[in-house]
DNA sequence: GTTTAAGCGAGACGGTACGTCTTGTCTTGGC
DNA sequence: GCCAAGACAAGACGTACCGTCTCGCTTAAAC
């Protein structure tokens, strides 16, 4: 869901005023790119500041000065990744929208090198990075709510259907399969999860009140 | 789903002939317990062999001798965790069975201290541990298939419904919410995911052939 | 022997044209004072340009611009310390003159905070500073030669007595005890070394020709 | 005065019982030798743990493990240097004994490479090393007191002559000239300081009671 | 009940990475 | 146009783990 590279200049990290143009910004981009490249090559556990700095053509201490530690580095990578103008597909059908969304997720999680899985795994290593990761997902899911709203507007879903649980139900199986269960990529899985969720939603599974146990 | 403590004697680790009774077995249990305790206290990244050994009242080299490295240690913990006689609930209703299952997952993922999440996260640190984790999940899902079979036998599901995708769809949202999205525990989420999946399954969402793209 | 603070304007450092009055001179004084204060507080090894600059209310780069490096800074401090009108006591007696001199040394080496010892130790850190330190001592000893000349004029010393070795013999024990041996301050040591040297000098120990090896 | 290399096995540093023979002892010797070699080549300020370890054929962390920091390393070097059976000359004459002593000092301070000056300078860098340096000097001066005792026994010195101030007075000029004043080596200086001190001592300069101001 | 060999305690070691601290240079923006 | 502010390169420091090795001691299994 969404890309991991984006316009980084829009989200200057900490500091008072980080010298908008010039070396500072260029260095940041180089380092963040190096993080992604290293993650892709060596995985979340082979990520060392030394290697990142070398690849970015920067000295190790520069990384520590700007990002304090690995967690800060990952957090900034994630923040930069979220700073784009991504939006969900708009096909006119809930199932197809969700399928398109799932296909993006599928592609991101199975792309070679596996940058996204490594990034997710790495985020467990620091509270700061985990926080950024959750911020990113929250933003992505928020942008996706329009998919449900459109379906509601079309009358394809019962009134009261809640977007967030629906979206989570639709996308969770992909993450679970590919990230945790280590299953082989399955092109059908994107549509299967989308259709199951669309069916359940049409049947009222995601309306706020469980209406008792019908 | 399932417990993380179990009868360890049933799965002697790699060694040639493990001296069934006595110090060896006792030491193993102490060390594995220490791993869980350390994971609970310090999280997946604060797991050090030194601390495990000290807590187990054993010398560091003993750990390395028996389990070779941290990955081996985690793998053995996971294998021991899977060596029990756990089985899914049997309530007579698919939705209720799935709800019960999800409640177990919910409890495991939100228990204090957070041993299970830490264990899952830690498993990313070594291929060997990741393999063991997947073995554990595969075993658990296999044991759960009976839930679907019973529903099929009762005629509650269309013929051709596949168990595995159904189970994954039912349980994935819990993992996704609690592990990846870091959402607050929500007692309703277990039933919501169960009902949505049951509804979708009843509508034929998990029959093998997608019946083309409608 | 001599003081460590003195009129600084008389010895413009390296710079091209030192702008006699105004900010330049004021800044120099602030920085040199800050060096002494830092030396007193943190000792010869805790002297950092950063701390000196901060204490002087000046930016770090200003220090580097004006003094190039720590060695230059120390050298300037020492040169400033030597730029005074100090002179040895004149009591009418060689032993008393030397005693007075030694008491000054004793006080300088045992004053709190220990600025002088720290300065001497710090001077080992750069050839430039070491050179300045030796320049300072050489100047001080040169000014002290008059003490010996007066004694010669009074006829208290044999003709041919050399001033420099006599002065070194008289003062060395103080430096040795307090700086190298770390002995506790001893008020008697000043006079003891002075008297021993005066006695030896009167006996002809510092005449140029050793009169062969008797 | 005395040598800086000595039998190191006689003074096992800290720890309970350092496995007397074998790798441990060999490693210690290699490292201490490397410290001296590095001091000789690069001076007190060019002494880095990395270089010492490399030269000793040992890993950097081993040095930190055993000696904690540079100060501990220097302290152990100094302790090892003091663990020999050195003794002062015995010529039958106070002046000649002191001259011989001073010649040893002169040689040590002017030897190439300048290991001893570097070691002394380096000792200023850590309280622990400074302490060891003073311990070493104290031991050396204690061993030298016999020189004065013999002169007293011969009747060459007035009763009540105190050994320590005499020895300090005799040796201090050498240290002062060569270490602090940076004077060029002067072969006569050893005898000059010795004779001056012997003359003063014979005249009663080092008897405890100053006998008022004669 | 004694061998006997595995398991274990103890700890030095090589090695990797971390994050910190200084030094001295270089760049940039503001006054 | 100077100069403050501060980013940067370079490199040493000391720490924390990891996993390997060697040495003896102890103890459980086998004879």
């Amino acid at each position: 869901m969404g890309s991991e590279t984006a316009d980084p200049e829009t989200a200057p990290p900490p500091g008072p005023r980080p010298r908008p143009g010039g070396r500072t910004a260029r260095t940041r981009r180089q380092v963040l790119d190096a993080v992604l490249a290293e993650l892709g090559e060596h995985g979340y556990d082979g990520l060392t500041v030394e290697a990142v700095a070398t690849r970015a053509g920067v000295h190790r201490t520069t990384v520590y000065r700007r990002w304090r530690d690995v967690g800060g580095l990952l957090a900034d990578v994630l923040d930069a990744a979220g700073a784009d103008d991504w939006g969900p597909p708009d096909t006119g059908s809930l199932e197809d929208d969700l399928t398109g969304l799932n296909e993006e997720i599928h592609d991101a999680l199975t792309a070679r090198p596996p940058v996204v899985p490594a990034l997710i795994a790495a985020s467990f290593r620091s509270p700061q990075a985990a926080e950024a990761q959750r911020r990113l997902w929250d933003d992505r899911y928020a942008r996706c709510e329009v998919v449900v709203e459109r379906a509601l507007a079309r009358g394809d879903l019962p009134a009261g259907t809640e977007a967030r649980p629906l979206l989570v139900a639709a996308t969770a199986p992909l993450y679970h399969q590919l990230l945790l269960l280590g299953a082989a990529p399955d092109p059908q899985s994107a549509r299967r999860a989308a259709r199951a969720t669309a069916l359940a939603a049409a049947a009222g599974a995601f309306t706020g009140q469980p209406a008792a146990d019908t």
Side-chain angles (χ1 to χ4, degrees), chain A:
Chain A
M1 175 161 62
S3 72
E4 72 282 356
T5 62
D7 178 21
E9 270 68 42
T10 57
R17 193 105 66 77
R19 308 236 192 160
R23 187 170 50 168
T24 290
R26 190 172 62 252
T27 294
R28 178 167 179 243
R29 186 86 303 259
Q30 287 169 344
V31 170
L32 299 192
D33 285 347
V35 170
L36 294 175
E38 286 291 318
L39 277 177
E41 280 184 23
H42 308 298
Y44 68 93
D45 225 16
L47 184 73
T48 79
V49 172
E50 176 71 50
V52 167
T54 300
R55 181 187 286 260
V58 143
H59 199 269
R60 212 163 54 82
T61 47
T62 297
V63 175
Y64 284 116
R65 182 168 344 98
R66 297 264 305 261
W67 289 275
R68 177 134 192 105
D69 59 15
V70 175
L73 197 49
L74 289 168
D76 198 28
V77 168
L78 288 161
D79 285 341
D84 60 7
D85 57 353
W86 180 89
D90 181 3
T91 64
S93 137
L94 177 61
E95 181 185 325
D96 289 344
D97 282 358
L98 295 176
T99 299
L101 183 56
N102 270 352
E103 281 166 351
E104 282 191 50
I105 292 172
H106 186 275
D107 291 350
L109 294 179
T110 58
R112 310 306 312 184
V115 177
V116 174
L119 197 47
I120 293 171
S123 298
F124 281 106
R125 299 184 62 168
S126 114
Q128 200 183 344
E131 176 61 25
Q133 179 67 264
R134 282 158 189 171
R135 227 172 16 239
L136 172 57
W137 264 320
D138 195 61
D139 176 62
R140 289 297 197 241
Y141 278 113
R143 296 194 202 185
C144 286
E145 293 187 359
V146 67
V147 162
V148 178
E149 288 160 11
R150 289 190 298 239
L152 278 166
R154 282 191 302 265
D156 291 349
L157 291 177
T161 295
E162 294 181 340
R164 206 52 82 90
L166 189 160
L167 291 168
V168 169
T171 56
L174 271 288
Y175 286 106
H176 198 48
Q177 289 268 24
L178 298 172
L179 231 44
L180 300 186
L181 302 184
D186 173 3
Q188 295 191 340
S189 58
R191 175 161 297 277
R192 179 163 44 212
R195 191 175 58 232
T197 305
L199 283 172
F206 300 105
T207 53
Q209 305 305 336
D213 283 5
T214 308

